[in-house]
Amino acid sequence: MDEQALTDKLLNHAVGVTPQRLRIAAVMLDAPRHLSADQVLAKLNRDGGGVSKATVYNTLRTFTEHGLLREINVDGQRSFYDSTVAPHHHFYNPETGELMDIRADRIKVSGLPQPPDGTEAAEVEVIIRLRKRPAV
Amino acid sequence: MDEQALTDKLLNHAVGVTPQRLRIAAVMLDAPRHLSADQVLAKLNRDGGGVSKATVYNTLRTFTEHGLLREINVDGQRSFYDSTVAPHHHFYNPETGELMDIRADRIKVSGLPQPPDGTEAAEVEVIIRLRKRPAV
DNA sequence: TTCGTTGCAAAGGATTTGCACTTTA
DNA sequence: TAAAGTGCAAATCCTTTGCAACGAA
């Protein structure tokens, strides 16, 4: 995705465009990604710095609030940000910390009970925790 | 559950029995509960103190490691501990922070893709996020 | 006495916030 | 130039750890 496309994407989501946001967008929004704030910061620093930690955190939050990213919590330690915002599910490997997408149409969840009074289901999230397969 | 039953439960899980652990067990293990460490601490303090913050955290972790509790992460802020350790799923209300159990046999998840090489599915976790139902 | 537990306070990591400065519109 | 965004450091929140005192076997 070139700079113009990223710029358009930000503008379409009512997010102001700045050089820092474009750099973060280039890391997060040009392909399916699952990164923590720290990983984004590390990647930017590796490629020449220029974005502060606070700005990375604030920008990821801003992107999330505007529907450009999705926040995922799997381990209570840190949040991951997922560039795929359409509904889908995840494999999670606790040993490597890796998250993998599972397309929503692969998995069928049936038998959902009635949500409690006054509420409705907003989102169904399926996380499949992996473990090493024992040698056969 | 009386003190003797709680004592037995701890011993059955190879957890040493102390007055503090019994108090925490009385809060967490006598019925289905979903509480954060902070909520447990608050409840104990309200009922007369006597357990320190570190001990609450350490004890909840110990209980979890010994299979008396299950840790759940829904919001990246804090961990909840669930006294129901058998597999099951959850409704989560982000507005109230409330978690509700859904019995495992109510929900069927089908179409699970093949786990990545060298791994197998250890656990399938379904979280249904709720939102206020708009007035009709 | 010995080992496991406790409690306090300090340390730790992730994230946010205060505030002056800079950039964008 | 007003409004939005940035960066640094300090602050905050949740959780863990170090270590001396304690308690049960």
Side-chain angles (χ1 to χ4, degrees), chain B residues 40-54:
Chain B
V40 173
L41 183 61
K43 196 178 256 275
L44 292 172
N45 284 337
R46 207 180 310 126
D47 302 352
V51 187
S52 74
K53 188 198 274 203

Side-chain angles (χ1 to χ4, degrees), chain B residues 83-135:
Chain B
S83 58
T84 304
V85 294
H88 66 287
H89 306 296
H90 293 99
F91 281 122
Y92 175 56
N93 187 333
E95 287 192 52
T96 63
E98 206 181 350
L99 272 173
M100 282 150 284
D101 285 337
I102 302 173
R103 297 211 339 256
D105 56 12
R106 292 294 304 267
I107 289 189
K108 196 168 300 169
V109 180
S110 51
L112 250 59
Q114 193 71 28
D117 273 359
T119 65
E120 62 184 4
E123 185 201 347
V124 177
E125 181 179 356
V126 178
I127 296 174
I128 299 166
R129 268 162 233 282
L130 300 173
R131 65 171 163 235
K132 227 179 307 206
R133 186 171 45 211

Side-chain angles (χ1 to χ4, degrees), chain B residues 18 20-21 50 55:
Chain B
T18 68
Q20 290 85 346
R21 288 180 177 180
T55 297

Side-chain angles (χ1 to χ4, degrees), chain A residues 107-119:
Chain A
I107 289 189
K108 197 167 300 171
V109 180
S110 51
L112 251 59
Q114 194 70 30
D117 272 359
T119 65

Side-chain angles (χ1 to χ4, degrees), chain A residues 92-108:
Chain A
Y92 175 56
N93 188 332
E95 287 193 52
T96 63
E98 205 181 350
L99 272 173
M100 282 151 284
D101 285 334
I102 302 174
R103 296 208 345 252
D105 57 11
R106 290 296 301 269
I107 289 189
K108 197 167 300 171

